[in-house]
Amino acid sequence: MKKIMMILSLLLTFAVALAGCGEEKVTTKPAEEKNVKIEKKEMPVEEKEDESIANSQEYLRDMTNVLEDFTVILNDFAELSTQAGQNPYVMTTNDWIMDTAIVLTEFDTAIQEARAIEEPENPELLRSHRLIMQAMDEYQFIVDNYPDAIDNLDTDLLNECILAMSRARGYFEEAITINIDVQETL
Protein backbone atom coordinates (compact mmCIF):
# COMPACT_ATOMS: atom_id res chain seq x y z
CA MET A 1 0.00 0.00 0.00
CA LYS A 2 2.88 2.35 0.80
CA LYS A 3 4.31 1.82 -2.69
CA ILE A 4 0.92 2.58 -4.28
CA MET A 5 0.70 5.80 -2.26
CA MET A 6 4.19 6.75 -3.41
CA ILE A 7 3.21 6.05 -7.03
CA LEU A 8 0.04 8.08 -6.54
CA SER A 9 2.04 11.00 -5.18
CA LEU A 10 4.58 10.81 -8.01
CA LEU A 11 1.86 10.60 -10.67
CA LEU A 12 0.16 13.67 -9.26
CA THR A 13 3.50 15.49 -9.29
CA PHE A 14 3.98 14.34 -12.87
CA ALA A 15 0.54 15.62 -13.84
CA VAL A 16 1.29 18.99 -12.26
CA ALA A 17 4.58 19.17 -14.15
CA LEU A 18 2.75 18.35 -17.37
CA ALA A 19 0.02 20.89 -16.73
CA GLY A 20 2.59 23.66 -17.03
CA CYS A 21 3.65 22.47 -20.46
CA GLY A 22 1.94 23.59 -23.59
CA GLU A 23 1.10 26.50 -25.82
CA GLU A 24 4.77 26.99 -26.81
CA LYS A 25 5.36 27.76 -30.44
CA VAL A 26 8.38 27.76 -32.75
CA THR A 27 9.25 26.98 -36.45
CA THR A 28 11.85 25.74 -39.10
CA LYS A 29 12.76 25.45 -42.78
CA PRO A 30 12.41 22.48 -45.17
CA ALA A 31 15.69 21.03 -46.45
CA GLU A 32 14.79 21.34 -50.13
CA GLU A 33 14.54 25.12 -49.87
CA LYS A 34 18.04 25.39 -48.47
CA ASN A 35 19.41 23.70 -51.58
CA VAL A 36 17.77 26.34 -53.79
CA LYS A 37 19.58 29.29 -52.21
CA ILE A 38 21.58 31.63 -54.37
CA GLU A 39 25.23 31.93 -53.42
CA LYS A 40 25.56 34.64 -50.83
CA LYS A 41 28.56 36.26 -52.54
CA GLU A 42 26.39 37.21 -55.50
CA MET A 43 23.53 38.63 -53.47
CA PRO A 44 23.20 42.32 -52.68
CA VAL A 45 23.01 43.15 -48.97
CA GLU A 46 19.25 43.82 -49.10
CA GLU A 47 18.57 40.40 -50.66
CA LYS A 48 20.69 38.70 -47.99
CA GLU A 49 18.71 40.44 -45.28
CA ASP A 50 15.41 39.53 -46.98
CA GLU A 51 16.50 35.90 -47.27
CA SER A 52 17.59 35.82 -43.64
CA ILE A 53 14.24 37.24 -42.53
CA ALA A 54 12.39 34.76 -44.74
CA ASN A 55 14.47 31.90 -43.29
CA SER A 56 13.70 33.01 -39.74
CA GLN A 57 9.99 33.41 -40.45
CA GLU A 58 9.85 30.00 -42.10
CA TYR A 59 11.66 28.39 -39.19
CA LEU A 60 9.28 29.98 -36.71
CA ARG A 61 6.22 28.89 -38.72
CA ASP A 62 7.37 25.30 -39.13
CA MET A 63 8.45 24.81 -35.53
CA THR A 64 5.24 26.44 -34.31
CA ASN A 65 3.19 23.93 -36.29
CA VAL A 66 5.09 21.00 -34.79
CA LEU A 67 4.92 22.36 -31.27
CA GLU A 68 1.20 23.08 -31.50
CA ASP A 69 0.67 19.36 -32.17
CA PHE A 70 3.12 18.59 -29.40
CA THR A 71 1.08 20.67 -26.96
CA VAL A 72 -2.05 18.63 -27.66
CA ILE A 73 -0.12 15.42 -27.01
CA LEU A 74 1.31 16.81 -23.76
CA ASN A 75 -2.17 17.72 -22.61
CA ASP A 76 -3.44 14.20 -23.40
CA PHE A 77 -0.48 12.73 -21.51
CA ALA A 78 -1.16 15.03 -18.55
CA GLU A 79 -4.79 13.90 -18.46
CA LEU A 80 -3.80 10.23 -18.40
CA SER A 81 -1.21 10.88 -15.68
CA THR A 82 -3.78 12.78 -13.65
CA GLN A 83 -6.24 9.89 -13.94
CA ALA A 84 -3.57 7.50 -12.70
CA GLY A 85 -2.59 9.88 -9.91
CA GLN A 86 -6.17 10.16 -8.71
CA ASN A 87 -6.81 6.43 -8.94
CA PRO A 88 -3.74 4.19 -9.34
CA TYR A 89 -5.94 1.21 -10.14
CA VAL A 90 -6.90 2.85 -13.43
CA MET A 91 -3.41 1.87 -14.65
CA THR A 92 -4.56 -1.74 -14.73
CA THR A 93 -7.44 -1.09 -17.14
CA ASN A 94 -7.08 -1.93 -20.80
CA ASP A 95 -8.42 1.47 -21.82
CA TRP A 96 -5.82 3.40 -19.82
CA ILE A 97 -3.01 1.12 -20.97
CA MET A 98 -4.06 1.47 -24.64
CA ASP A 99 -4.61 5.24 -24.40
CA THR A 100 -1.20 5.68 -22.77
CA ALA A 101 0.50 3.56 -25.44
CA ILE A 102 -1.16 5.63 -28.17
CA VAL A 103 -0.15 8.93 -26.57
CA LEU A 104 3.43 7.76 -26.08
CA THR A 105 3.58 6.72 -29.75
CA GLU A 106 2.23 10.13 -30.78
CA PHE A 107 4.74 11.71 -28.40
CA ASP A 108 7.59 9.82 -30.07
CA THR A 109 6.39 10.85 -33.56
CA ALA A 110 6.17 14.51 -32.53
CA ILE A 111 9.69 14.35 -31.11
CA GLN A 112 10.98 13.00 -34.42
CA GLU A 113 9.12 15.71 -36.35
CA ALA A 114 10.69 18.41 -34.17
CA ARG A 115 14.13 16.87 -34.65
CA ALA A 116 13.60 16.82 -38.43
CA ILE A 117 13.31 20.60 -38.56
CA GLU A 118 16.48 22.08 -39.94
CA GLU A 119 18.50 24.44 -37.80
CA PRO A 120 17.82 28.11 -38.56
CA GLU A 121 20.49 30.53 -39.74
CA ASN A 122 19.60 33.26 -37.24
CA PRO A 123 21.97 32.91 -34.24
CA GLU A 124 19.26 33.61 -31.67
CA LEU A 125 16.85 31.16 -33.28
CA LEU A 126 19.69 28.63 -33.43
CA ARG A 127 20.09 29.03 -29.67
CA SER A 128 16.34 28.49 -29.28
CA HIS A 129 16.42 25.48 -31.60
CA ARG A 130 19.13 23.85 -29.54
CA LEU A 131 17.11 24.40 -26.36
CA ILE A 132 14.11 22.78 -28.03
CA MET A 133 16.30 19.82 -29.02
CA GLN A 134 17.41 19.50 -25.39
CA ALA A 135 13.73 19.43 -24.41
CA MET A 136 13.14 16.73 -27.04
CA ASP A 137 15.91 14.64 -25.46
CA GLU A 138 14.15 14.94 -22.10
CA TYR A 139 10.80 13.98 -23.64
CA GLN A 140 12.44 11.03 -25.38
CA PHE A 141 13.64 9.84 -21.99
CA ILE A 142 10.03 9.92 -20.79
CA VAL A 143 8.76 8.05 -23.87
CA ASP A 144 11.44 5.40 -23.40
CA ASN A 145 11.08 4.98 -19.63
CA TYR A 146 7.55 5.87 -18.53
CA PRO A 147 6.07 2.48 -19.52
CA ASP A 148 8.68 0.60 -17.48
CA ALA A 149 8.20 2.95 -14.53
CA ILE A 150 4.47 2.25 -14.54
CA ASP A 151 4.70 -1.49 -15.31
CA ASN A 152 7.23 -2.10 -12.55
CA LEU A 153 5.86 0.47 -10.09
CA ASP A 154 9.38 1.90 -10.14
CA THR A 155 9.13 5.10 -8.09
CA ASP A 156 12.75 6.06 -8.79
CA LEU A 157 12.28 5.83 -12.54
CA LEU A 158 8.96 7.65 -12.36
CA ASN A 159 10.68 10.38 -10.37
CA GLU A 160 13.35 10.61 -13.10
CA CYS A 161 10.55 11.05 -15.66
CA ILE A 162 9.11 13.87 -13.58
CA LEU A 163 12.51 15.55 -13.40
CA ALA A 164 12.94 15.14 -17.18
CA MET A 165 9.54 16.80 -17.69
CA SER A 166 10.57 19.68 -15.47
CA ARG A 167 13.87 20.18 -17.32
CA ALA A 168 12.09 20.03 -20.68
CA ARG A 169 9.64 22.67 -19.52
CA GLY A 170 12.53 24.95 -18.53
CA TYR A 171 14.18 24.52 -21.94
CA PHE A 172 10.88 25.30 -23.67
CA GLU A 173 10.25 28.41 -21.60
CA GLU A 174 13.68 29.79 -22.45
CA ALA A 175 13.30 28.91 -26.15
CA ILE A 176 9.88 30.52 -26.37
CA THR A 177 11.17 33.74 -24.83
CA ILE A 178 13.90 33.85 -27.46
CA ASN A 179 11.42 33.15 -30.28
CA ILE A 180 9.07 35.90 -29.14
CA ASP A 181 11.97 38.36 -29.04
CA VAL A 182 13.07 37.35 -32.55
CA GLN A 183 9.52 37.57 -33.92
CA GLU A 184 9.23 41.12 -32.65
CA THR A 185 12.33 42.11 -34.62
CA LEU A 186 11.21 40.55 -37.91
Side-chain angles (χ1 to χ4, degrees):
M1 186 66 169
K2 187 175 181 180
K3 194 165 192 172
I4 289 175
M5 292 306 292
M6 178 65 93
I7 293 289
L8 172 65
S9 172
L10 288 172
L11 286 170
L12 285 172
T13 303
F14 199 56
V16 168
L18 282 168
C21 297
E23 314 295 329
E24 289 95 20
K25 301 179 181 181
V26 194
T27 330
T28 256
K29 132 188 197 176
E32 57 269 3
E33 287 186 22
K34 187 171 185 174
N35 296 333
V36 178
K37 287 186 182 177
I38 300 172
E39 245 182 77
K40 291 188 179 190
K41 292 179 185 175
E42 298 175 16
M43 294 176 73
V45 174
E46 283 183 11
E47 287 183 35
K48 287 180 189 179
E49 289 173 3
D50 289 345
E51 184 176 333
S52 177
I53 290 170
N55 172 273
S56 295
Q57 290 172 334
E58 188 174 348
Y59 173 83
L60 288 167
R61 184 193 68 235
D62 293 345
M63 186 61 83
T64 296
N65 291 338
V66 168
L67 293 182
E68 283 176 350
D69 294 341
F70 202 81
T71 299
V72 171
I73 296 164
L74 279 173
N75 288 333
D76 291 346
F77 189 63
E79 185 177 320
L80 289 166
S81 295
T82 300
Q83 289 173 5
Q86 292 171 345
N87 178 6
Y89 298 105
V90 76
M91 295 183 296
T92 63
T93 66
N94 288 336
D95 286 343
W96 189 89
I97 293 168
M98 183 60 71
D99 290 345
T100 301
I102 290 168
V103 167
L104 288 172
T105 300
E106 291 171 344
F107 213 168
D108 190 50
T109 299
I111 291 167
Q112 300 317 313
E113 288 174 1
R115 287 181 174 158
I117 294 176
E118 193 173 312
E119 289 185 344
E121 295 172 2
N122 178 298
E124 285 301 304
L125 286 180
L126 180 58
R127 192 169 131 237
S128 168
H129 181 80
R130 290 181 177 156
L131 287 165
I132 291 168
M133 293 304 106
Q134 286 179 287
M136 292 303 129
D137 291 343
E138 299 293 346
Y139 289 129
Q140 189 67 59
F141 177 86
I142 294 165
V143 167
D144 294 343
N145 292 286
Y146 188 76
D148 288 338
I150 296 300
D151 289 347
N152 299 317
L153 298 177
D154 186 336
T155 56
D156 292 335
L157 188 54
L158 188 56
N159 210 16
E160 288 179 45
C161 289
I162 292 167
L163 292 173
M165 183 63 69
S166 178
R167 286 189 300 267
R169 180 178 179 190
Y171 293 138
F172 265 137
E173 287 174 357
E174 188 175 348
I176 297 314
T177 300
I178 293 168
N179 291 345
I180 290 170
D181 291 345
V182 170
Q183 281 179 325
E184 290 174 357
T185 65
L186 296 178

